[in-house]
Amino acid sequence: MVTYYVASAAHGGSDSNSGTSSGSPWATVAKVNAATLTAGSSVFFNGGDTWTGTALAPTANGTSGSPITFSSYGTGHATIANTAAGNSIYLNGVGGYVISNLILTGPGGATAGAGVWFESTMGTQLAPVTITGCTASNYSVGLLGIADAAGDGFSALTITNNTLTGNVYQGLSVSGPTPTPGTPIYNFPSVTISGNTVYNNLGSTSVTVTSTGYGMFLGNFTGGTVSGNMIYGNGSQNGGTGGGPSGICLGFSTGTVVSGNTVYNQATGTGSAQQDGEGIDLDLECVNCVVEYNIVYGCQAAGLFAFSDDAYWSGNVYRYNMLWGNAQGYAAGAFGEITLFTGGAGQNLASMAIYGNTIVSRDNGTIHPPPILINVAGTLSGCTIRNNVLYAQTGPTIVVDQNWATSALFFQGNCYYGTGTFGLTWNATTYPSLTAWRTATSQEIYSATNVGMQSNPLLVAPATTPAVTNPSNLAPADGLMLGTGSPATAAGLPLNADFGTVIGTQDFFGIALTLPQMIGAAQPSGAPAAAAQRPAVVMGRRTAPRRSVVGNNLQCGDGQRGPANGLPVIIYYSMRMMP
């Protein structure tokens, strides 16, 4: 295990030096590429210096216990720039790396490579890759991970505390091949994506064949967590004509937890087929994934989206999220704050649980998005919507496309309220009261007893934007707490006792849940004042830092199954020629 140092000529760097001390550093990336690195080796670049034009492209493998490290030394971070169509760091068929505290900059544009391109091509799981504390800007993709085929992948990925901005397709993309429907391919068995700031990845008006401007585009995970990320301002220049980006798009994955993210101000772009723009999208063939404790506001389309184009989307959970002011960018009836959508026969959503969310829809002129919108041309089965606050400014609190049986779709124990004319739209009929809707549909009944309420939940400040811009400070979301005297306090159905739902231990703000459980994502504002502390949340499936926010993301390209990297936006082949 050898440690090498690299500095500019102005700071004593020369390729004729030994490179093994900061007093005798090498000078070029080419010298590093020619070196014989071994497991446990480290290469440190002098902070404040810049290397331009040659990609850092090692050929050796590290191991999980002895990774090869690229980082900075001295004062500040070193910069590895690429002025041509290529990558700054290229890990082609190698694993076992830690890349930290580097500034990676590209030339901009849709053919500008990636800040770090890490690709598994060897038909086996490569050793872990960690990327932390880096900035990647002005590339096609800020950080790009690829598994070529079913046997490829990385045994672990850790992507934390990076800043990804000014990229075209995605800030972060990690995915594998598109599976045959019903035959999943999971390339990434252990993934941690947390604490990243992903913003102003705008897309490109000149790229029309696919969608651009995603925050994160993820797929082919087994388990893993996506937590505590800040994602905002993406997608406004997307020119794709078949769909659009979202803040977080996850597909072809099982058991993944998307938790405590903040997403806002995402946009759909300029493409002729203005579509998507969701905050968080569980897309094709997601199974047993959990979306929880996120705050999502200002997205052009749904705050939370569920999409399927086949029969293999099932068992997913949306719980304890706060949604506000999404779905304002389309004509009335296109999206709700939470939207369930499939486009045709055989495209199914099964065994979905939506509970304990606080959802406030806001108007945009004549657009009055509902808190819940369901437009499923295929089949719903075993989907339940329980203990949610559904608060509409104007228009209906729900819009459901057809007369679903309660075995397919069941609303129970929710609080419905509208500041304008109240309504619940079901199978093209708008019912003026909860009582009328319940009588006509058998919704909001449990064990032969009427449940749910049509009542003002007395949120503290529902008209105020929950402008969370720092995941460690949730105070701007306090207005979505239940106020003193709220009828939703301790009014929820006992989900664990009566339905076997594993409800977790804490609410959105990290306050311990008490029984009877509240309706919505947060305890009343008078519940423990210790909420100001907002500790890390420990749920049944993960330990994660508090919140991430997703907002204003336009167009997510749903349903565009691609020939190579699986998920809606496929950049694999279009970027394939870039070394």
Side-chain angles (χ1 to χ4, degrees), residues 317 319 353 355 384 386 494-504:
V317 175
R319 66 178 187 178
Y355 65 86
T384 59
R386 295 175 173 139
L495 301 184
N496 180 261
D498 287 11
F499 303 101
T501 302
V502 179
I503 63 171

Side-chain angles (χ1 to χ4, degrees), residues 249-252 276 278 281-287 305-309 313 316 318 556-560 567-568:
C249 182
L250 177 69
F252 303 127
D276 305 302
E278 300 83 16
D281 171 20
L282 287 193
D283 214 276
L284 308 175
E285 298 191 26
C286 282
V287 177
F305 194 58
F307 173 81
S308 174
D309 76 346
W313 192 104
N316 300 300
Y318 291 177
C556 192
D558 303 294
Q560 300 180 49
L567 288 163

Side-chain angles (χ1 to χ4, degrees), residues 84-178:
N87 312 299
S88 284
I89 301 177
Y90 186 37
L91 306 181
N92 180 25
V94 294
Y97 280 82
V98 173
I99 299 168
S100 68
N101 301 327
L102 294 171
I103 298 170
L104 310 171
T105 61
T111 60
V116 181
W117 182 316
F118 49 105
E119 182 172 2
S120 172
T121 62
M122 308 304 290
T124 187
Q125 291 279 302
L126 296 174
V129 168
T130 294
I131 305 171
T132 185
C134 294
T135 296
S137 62
N138 297 320
Y139 296 98
S140 294
V141 181
L143 304 176
L144 173 62
I146 295 172
D148 279 13
D152 295 318
F154 293 86
S155 61
L157 294 176
T158 302
I159 300 171
T160 59
N161 302 318
N162 301 287
T163 298
L164 310 175
T165 185
N167 304 294
V168 174
Y169 286 89
Q170 301 99 8
L172 170 66
S173 179
V174 179
S175 64
T178 301

Side-chain angles (χ1 to χ4, degrees), residues 241-256:
T241 58
S246 56
I248 300 172
C249 182
L250 177 69
F252 303 127
S253 294
T254 183
T256 304

Side-chain angles (χ1 to χ4, degrees), residues 165-223:
T165 185
N167 304 294
V168 174
Y169 286 89
Q170 301 99 8
L172 170 66
S173 179
V174 179
S175 64
T178 301
T180 300
T183 306
I185 298 173
Y186 300 129
N187 304 95
F188 307 103
S190 177
V191 178
T192 299
I193 299 170
S194 69
N196 300 285
T197 301
V198 185
Y199 71 100
N200 290 355
N201 300 285
L202 301 181
S204 173
T205 58
S206 64
V207 177
T208 60
V209 296
T210 191
S211 301
T212 58
Y214 285 80
M216 294 183 179
F217 180 76
L218 310 171
N220 307 84
F221 293 4
T222 302

Side-chain angles (χ1 to χ4, degrees), residues 33 101 110 141 149 186 316 375 377 523 534 576:
N33 287 341
N101 301 327
V141 181
Y186 300 129
N316 300 300
N375 182 8
Q523 310 273 5
R534 292 188 177 119
R576 194 65 166 137

